[in-house]
Amino acid sequence: MEALLASTFTVAIAEIGDKTQLLALILAARFKNKTAIILGIFLSTLANHFAAAWLGQWAINWIDPVTARYLVAGSFFAIALWVLVPDKVDAEESRFYSMGPFLATFILFFIAEMGDKTQIATVVLSAKYDALAMVVMGTTLGMMIANVPVVIAGHFSAEKLPMQWIHRGCAVLFALLGVATLMF
């Protein structure tokens, strides 16, 4: 249960102001079918984060436990610094828009999530908790918690949120995860 809760909370906070959340805003403004967008986000995140969590589980088995602990803690500290840099997404026309709201969302989200903070966090969380299903469920739930309200209220802008404080809070959260990894 700890893996599920930590993954959900961590990714939901990290996703605020992230490029995929900005992409959700763009897609919501572009397409009227919000259900198709939400389903595209869900399935894309599920596939992407399953692969990331599997990679985390696989990689951690090749490293001795002491080294793994330091690598996971160091990764949390690196992500803490990374979240302090705000993301931007290009709002230009995409060739995927002609595929409709579901496929456009699925493809664009999957591509945007590659190498993203939340994907890297999924790899690290999976390595830390050794609970693939709980981490995937938690990170996917975290993405949905952060993105569904943006899609539903398409006119809502992330610019109205105190982004600097959100990024700082998220950095503190990842740093605390790093400290907890070293201590336990």
Side-chain angles (χ1 to χ4, degrees), residues 75-86 117 167 170-172 174-175:
S75 297
F76 279 130
F77 293 131
I79 295 170
L81 294 174
W82 188 5
V83 299
L84 294 173
V85 180
K117 291 180 283 250
H167 285 282
C170 190
V172 168
F174 278 109

Side-chain angles (χ1 to χ4, degrees), residues 86-160:
D87 278 331
K88 293 180 178 64
V89 68
D90 295 328
E92 67 185 48
E93 284 295 308
S94 171
R95 65 177 186 253
F96 299 113
Y97 288 162
S98 64
M99 297 177 172
F102 172 75
L103 280 177
T105 301
F106 183 87
I107 293 167
L108 290 170
F109 247 78
F110 194 88
I111 292 168
E113 192 63 14
M114 298 301 289
D116 195 51
K117 291 180 283 250
T118 52
Q119 186 193 42
I120 302 301
T122 301
V123 172
V124 175
L125 287 160
S126 181
K128 176 178 174 45
Y129 288 109
D130 191 29
L132 187 127
M134 290 293 126
V135 170
V136 173
M137 284 192 298
T139 59
T140 301
L141 181 58
M143 288 287 283
M144 300 311 289
I145 288 168
N147 287 306
V148 169
V150 170
V151 172
I152 292 171
H155 63 280
F156 179 73
S157 175
E159 295 168 5
K160 295 178 183 175

Side-chain angles (χ1 to χ4, degrees), residues 10 31-32 42 54 90 93 101 104 123 138 144 152 166 179:
T10 300
F31 297 109
K32 292 185 189 290
F42 174 73
W54 180 85
D90 295 328
E93 284 295 308
V123 172
M144 300 311 289
I152 292 171
I166 290 169
V179 170

